[in-house]
Amino acid sequence: MTKRKATDDANALSTLSTYTTIVADTGDISAIKAHSPTDATTNPSLIYKAALLPAYGKTVEEAVEKGKTLEGALDWLSCLIGKEISELVPGYVSTEVDARLSFDTDATVAKARTLISIYEQLGVPKSRILIKIAATWEGIQACRVLEAEGVTCNLTLIFSLVQAAACADAGATLISPFVGRIMDWHKKASGVEGFEAKDDPGVKSVTRIYNYFKARGITTICMGASFRNAGEILELCGCDRLTISPKLLTELEAMPSEGVVPHLSPTGCTKGPDVDTSEAGFRWAMNEDAMATEKLAEGIRGFARDLEKLEEVIKGKM
């Protein structure tokens, strides 16, 4: 999973990929084939959209047959799509735990083990899979258990430094701090139409997390996510990884490479004060951060609603 070398026919995306590992934020196989990313991430919303595509009709039917129950079919569908993606990317495939388990550590651990078991039955080693978990306190503790078992995790819906620091303390392999959703909240709160990329609150949040990790030698991978425009992406050039939608990948491929330079670097990061990652410290910091609290809850609700829509699709096949 190395960064790519620049080529003579460079564009913004190819140049970006010399500094940052590119990840496709989609469950659409055709989109992944078109962009050849290193990794791919999925979530309930993306799996739901993929399940509606005619190309996935037989995959849904296979999931129903193998899963037997509605819950089993959901698990098998996520893993069957993940298996297909794993054949197209050389790196990680992220598969998300049911968002409705976000406040239940034991249930999250059990679901992750089930997903890994299904992947093993499909011939996909657990070293290729990132189990994606919402970064609630309970989700972070599930990550601690899973990482100790050798199950690599991607902690998602991260909107604050305390979430990121707690994930690193739990040994998370990778975190997904969101950019666009932070910007959305600040646009509404400030009554503005938008921000310049360098002043974007979401960009600043990821930069702060990245610098916090690098200043301390933390090996947890920082992967910016949830982008609204190409400017946000290019302003985070140099971040460990960036997961990008097919629409924005295509947009970046059409942009010139001039001006694409790293803005994030592991050298010269100022350490600053440590974050209190105890349960009390975590909960208080989240209590004091209205944006992070609101966006975390909103994200979990959104994924839960799309899971319910996906269940209706599967019920129609049972």
Side-chain angles (χ1 to χ4, degrees):
M1 293 184 286
T2 55
K3 298 178 179 64
R4 301 176 186 177
K5 294 181 180 179
T7 60
D8 292 336
D9 57 344
N11 54 52
L13 180 61
S14 63
T15 302
L16 175 67
S17 70
T18 65
Y19 301 108
T20 292
T21 298
I22 303 300
V23 180
D25 195 18
T26 183
D28 184 349
I29 297 298
S30 62
I32 293 170
K33 288 179 178 178
H35 298 289
S36 302
T38 297
D39 300 347
T41 55
T42 63
N43 61 44
S45 302
L46 297 176
I47 295 293
Y48 167 65
K49 291 175 183 176
L52 296 177
L53 298 174
Y56 283 100
K58 290 185 178 179
T59 304
V60 174
E61 291 175 4
E62 183 179 356
V64 170
E65 179 184 349
K66 291 184 180 297
K68 309 298 183 186
T69 65
L70 180 59
E71 181 180 359
L74 279 171
D75 294 341
W76 272 91
L77 180 59
S78 293
C79 294
L80 285 167
I81 291 175
K83 178 184 184 295
E84 194 168 353
I85 293 172
S86 75
E87 295 168 353
L88 298 175
V89 300
Y92 289 122
V93 176
S94 289
T95 297
E96 190 150 352
V97 167
D98 190 325
R100 294 167 294 192
L101 305 178
S102 295
F103 302 99
D104 189 329
T105 296
D106 291 342
T108 296
V109 170
K111 179 61 71 179
R113 290 171 178 159
T114 296
L115 294 172
I116 290 297
S117 175
I118 293 172
Y119 270 120
E120 289 175 344
Q121 293 175 59
L122 292 171
V124 182
K126 67 181 181 180
S127 61
R128 293 290 313 283
I129 303 302
L130 289 173
I131 294 296
K132 202 171 176 187
I133 303 168
T136 59
W137 177 258
E138 294 79 7
I140 294 168
Q141 302 321 302
C143 165
R144 189 184 299 278
V145 173
L146 292 165
E147 289 281 357
E149 296 177 357
V151 175
T152 48
C153 298
N154 169 359
L155 273 291
T156 189
L157 292 174
I158 289 180
F159 301 97
S160 68
L161 181 58
V162 72
Q163 286 177 287
C167 291
D169 183 65
T173 295
L174 181 148
I175 64 165
S176 298
F178 281 32
V179 178
R181 296 192 195 191
I182 292 179
M183 188 265 285
D184 293 343
W185 190 92
H186 283 279
K187 278 174 59 178
K188 183 177 180 180
S190 302
V192 299
E193 293 186 1
F195 300 89
E196 291 293 324
K198 64 181 178 60
D199 300 318
D200 188 302
V203 169
K204 288 184 174 181
S205 177
V206 175
T207 300
R208 185 161 53 251
I209 291 167
Y210 175 91
N211 289 340
Y212 185 91
F213 282 10
K214 300 311 176 189
R216 289 163 175 76
I218 292 171
T219 58
T220 295
I221 297 164
C222 182
M223 181 176 74
S226 169
F227 294 103
R228 295 291 179 259
N229 56 67
E232 290 177 327
I233 295 167
L234 296 177
E235 194 64 29
L236 288 172
C237 179
C239 193
D240 298 330
R241 279 170 170 74
L242 298 174
T243 185
I244 306 170
S245 69
K247 176 179 179 292
L248 287 172
L249 287 171
T250 299
E251 187 175 323
L252 288 163
E253 284 180 328
M255 295 172 62
S257 61
E258 287 76 18
V260 179
V261 296
H263 296 283
L264 277 65
S265 171
T267 59
C269 297
T270 302
K271 189 172 182 179
D274 291 336
V275 172
D276 180 0
T277 57
S278 67
E279 181 175 0
F282 178 91
R283 294 194 186 281
W284 180 252
M286 291 296 288
N287 179 74
E288 293 296 282
D289 190 333
M291 179 276 296
T293 297
E294 291 172 20
K295 284 296 175 183
L296 174 59
E298 178 184 89
I300 292 170
R301 286 196 300 270
F303 286 156
R305 295 298 83 76
D306 282 334
L307 273 170
E308 291 164 2
K309 294 176 188 175
L310 181 56
E311 285 177 338
E312 292 303 312
V313 173
I314 290 175
K315 284 178 184 176
K317 303 285 186 179
M318 298 187 83

